[in-house]
Amino acid sequence: METLKKVAVIGLGNIGKAIANDLIKNNHEVIVASRNSEEASNFAEHSGGLAQSMSIKEAINTVDVIIPAIWFGSFKDFFNDYGDLLKDKTIIDVSNPIAPDGNGGFKKIIGERESAGELNKAILPKGSKLVKAFGTLGAETLAGASNGSPEKSVLFYASDDIEVNHEVEEVIKNAGFEPLRVGGIDQSIRIEVFGDLHEFGALGKAVNLTEAKSKL
């Protein structure tokens, strides 16, 4: 297995913790950061030495790949606050443009034909590269399906910058999943909530590579 590039998970909600823990389970170091520095420190303390906590600025400056595990609506502020530091970085967007619908479910908060990936790409800081990944499964499945046997579950991803595909696929593999590209960022809608390739859409579950390819 190739050496994983340095990765930072920024934000330690359910998705952020699941991704960081998946990397840790596979014995890969990860940097964690949060606006709540105590939360990041506590997470690192219980990681068996495989997670290191830093401030958000320190984390961005230290790594090659950044995973902002934040709400879709927070990306604008994140880019505004740290845009100058994000040049030449690969940003993995895990967000889904949803909010509670008041009836125990969720609703989409952007246009029916819009995707978080495309909207975030439109405001991406100059020099950064955006990849849509990891948000294709719910947090519980991300945590539970890592290192599936006999076949690993697929994590779909979408990217316009082909030169970063290899490093993104390595992050996905080292989190215990099988990577499969669906196309450019304009295909993000397929792998976001309610999309045909999302666990909470037409796909309905985590799938192996053979099943996934049959859906493309």
Side-chain angles (χ1 to χ4, degrees):
M1 184 175 291
E2 297 184 25
T3 301
L4 178 66
K5 285 198 171 185
K6 290 183 179 179
V7 176
V9 175
I10 298 176
L12 289 171
N14 292 337
I15 293 288
K17 286 179 180 176
I19 295 170
N21 279 322
D22 284 345
L23 291 168
I24 289 168
K25 281 191 297 185
N26 287 282
N27 295 313
H28 291 286
E29 295 181 358
V30 62
I31 291 170
V32 293
S34 172
R35 292 188 184 278
N36 182 341
S37 59
E38 184 177 350
E39 180 180 43
S41 295
N42 288 339
F43 183 92
E45 286 175 8
H46 294 87
S47 70
L50 287 168
Q52 181 181 1
S53 66
M54 293 185 180
S55 71
I56 295 175
K57 286 185 177 180
E58 288 174 328
I60 293 172
N61 282 328
T62 301
V63 304
D64 306 294
V65 180
I66 299 158
I67 305 177
I70 59 179
W71 288 102
F72 164 69
S74 300
F75 267 82
K76 184 176 180 180
D77 287 339
F78 180 76
F79 288 159
N80 285 338
D81 290 344
Y82 304 106
D84 291 343
L85 303 177
L86 294 170
K87 184 179 179 181
D88 299 323
K89 306 291 185 177
T90 299
I91 300 167
I92 297 181
D93 174 9
V94 307
S95 69
N96 280 290
I98 56 173
D101 64 5
N103 298 309
F106 291 90
K107 62 182 178 181
K108 193 168 182 178
I109 57 173
I110 58 177
E112 183 180 351
R113 297 180 181 276
E114 291 182 314
S115 71
E118 288 179 288
L119 293 177
N120 285 334
K121 179 70 182 287
I123 60 173
L124 189 68
K126 186 176 181 180
S128 304
K129 299 177 178 64
L130 187 78
V131 178
K132 191 75 183 176
F134 282 101
T136 184
L137 295 172
E140 185 175 344
T141 305
L142 274 176
S146 175
N147 300 323
S149 179
E151 295 181 86
K152 291 184 178 180
S153 296
V154 163
L155 273 178
F156 298 102
Y157 74 97
S159 63
D160 288 339
D161 300 285
I162 295 175
E163 66 270 21
V164 305
N165 288 356
H166 179 72
E167 66 183 6
V168 171
E169 290 192 356
E170 285 303 308
V171 176
I172 292 172
K173 289 177 182 177
N174 286 302
F177 293 89
E178 186 71 36
L180 183 61
R181 182 174 180 265
V182 300
I185 293 294
D186 62 353
Q187 298 299 304
S188 294
I189 194 169
R190 300 187 67 192
I191 60 176
E192 294 175 5
V193 171
F194 307 131
D196 67 301
L197 296 178
H198 195 281
E199 179 184 9
F200 301 142
L203 200 60
K205 61 177 184 177
V207 295
N208 63 34
L209 187 58
T210 300
E211 292 172 317
K213 286 182 175 179
S214 74
K215 303 295 184 181
L216 293 181

